[in-house]
Amino acid sequence: MTTVLFDMDGVILEGPRTDPQVYADAADAALVDLGVEPTPDQRRDFRNHDHERIKTHCRDLEIDPARFWELKETYASSGTHDRLRSGERGIYDDIDAVRDLGERTTIGLVTNNRHETAAFVADYVGFDFDIVRGRDPTFEGYERRKPDPYYIDDALNDLGVTDGIYVGDSPKDVTAGRAAGLETAFLRRPHNRNRERPSNATHELESLTELPSLVASTDSS
Ligand SMILES: [Mg+2]
């Protein structure tokens, strides 16, 4: 049966991305750990994701940029996990379709989000994913995010398969999925309801409940 890989944010987790406040809090916590007091301008950059600015400020403050980045990623993961446990961030109510599919075929979770959070979410929803892949907590790991197919390719290599379907809520999911040689399913969610369907998307889903029929039609074709 067809292998189906899923994006996480906007597919499993409600909303298209991590709240910027999570990264702001994570940067602040990392800076406390490293014992430095940045200027307000430096702090603003640390809370964002511009690597060159962050590396420059780390040099000026005499801290290791790789260490700062890893700490920030780790704190962002724990902040995200807290928000999921408290219900501040929800999960979509149609994701049982993923669980059901996992009982019949190979499924995977492949996300731009941090690997630590992907592993947490896989455990939290209790699905039997055959592969879970998120970004590594390094500058290089961040640069490999979709639309780069790096993490999808990596997951396919691990699984030893070359075809399947990638399900995502964003045009970059379609770009990355196609680049990895997969069919793609563009999933409609409230935040992308008015976006045009990416022209290169193989399929479009109004809900994950449409997955069984999509997979069945793919298998029979
Ligand atoms: Mg997404």
Side-chain angles (χ1 to χ4, degrees):
M1 260 183 80
T2 306
T3 297
V4 186
L5 304 180
F6 296 87
D7 173 37
M8 186 174 76
D9 293 81
V11 172
I12 307 290
L13 304 184
E14 280 182 355
R17 66 185 63 83
T18 301
D19 190 310
Q21 189 61 47
V22 169
Y23 288 112
D25 293 344
D28 291 354
L31 293 165
V32 168
D33 274 12
L34 294 167
V36 291
E37 184 57 48
T39 67
D41 281 356
Q42 287 173 330
R43 186 180 299 279
R44 189 197 57 228
D45 288 339
F46 279 125
R47 290 171 159 197
N48 288 306
H49 309 293
D50 185 314
H51 292 169
E52 290 317 309
R53 283 169 185 261
I54 287 173
K55 286 175 180 173
T56 299
H57 298 329
C58 285
R59 212 171 301 128
D60 291 344
L61 291 164
E62 299 181 333
I63 56 177
D64 176 13
R67 181 71 186 130
F68 166 78
W69 187 260
E70 188 180 7
L71 278 169
K72 182 184 173 188
E73 292 281 80
T74 301
Y75 278 117
S77 294
S78 53
T80 295
H81 308 169
D82 287 346
R83 283 180 177 224
L84 289 167
R85 277 188 289 251
S86 71
E88 198 174 339
R89 187 169 187 196
I91 52 180
Y92 290 106
D93 58 14
D94 59 0
I95 61 168
D96 276 343
V98 179
R99 180 200 311 275
D100 295 345
L101 192 67
E103 287 168 7
R104 295 185 290 124
T105 190
T106 302
I107 58 169
L109 186 63
V110 185
T111 171
N112 276 353
N113 213 319
R114 298 164 308 279
H115 183 76
E116 194 180 345
T117 288
F120 174 88
V121 168
D123 186 56
Y124 184 71
V125 297
F127 298 170
D128 199 8
F129 286 112
D130 297 282
I131 184 86
V132 174
R133 194 68 170 95
R135 73 176 188 244
D136 300 317
T138 60
F139 290 112
E140 294 72 27
Y142 190 82
E143 295 302 331
R144 289 169 174 160
R145 293 171 307 138
K146 296 168 288 185
D148 190 320
Y150 180 89
Y151 291 118
I152 298 176
D153 283 336
D154 198 49
L156 292 172
N157 276 339
D158 262 35
L159 292 169
V161 299
T162 54
D163 55 8
I165 304 172
Y166 189 61
V167 180
D169 65 313
S170 154
K172 65 179 180 289
D173 298 320
V174 174
T175 303
R178 296 293 293 229
L182 302 180
E183 293 189 14
T184 56
F186 184 65
L187 176 64
R188 290 293 177 187
R189 290 304 197 192
H191 58 265
N192 69 14
R193 195 60 65 191
N194 298 318
R195 285 195 85 138
E196 209 173 310
R197 169 182 170 167
S199 58
N200 51 349
T202 325
H203 311 281
E204 186 169 5
L205 296 171
E206 289 300 324
S207 159
L208 291 174
T209 57
E210 295 176 2
L211 267 176
S213 57
L214 172 63
V215 171
S217 68
T218 306
D219 283 338
S220 63
S221 65

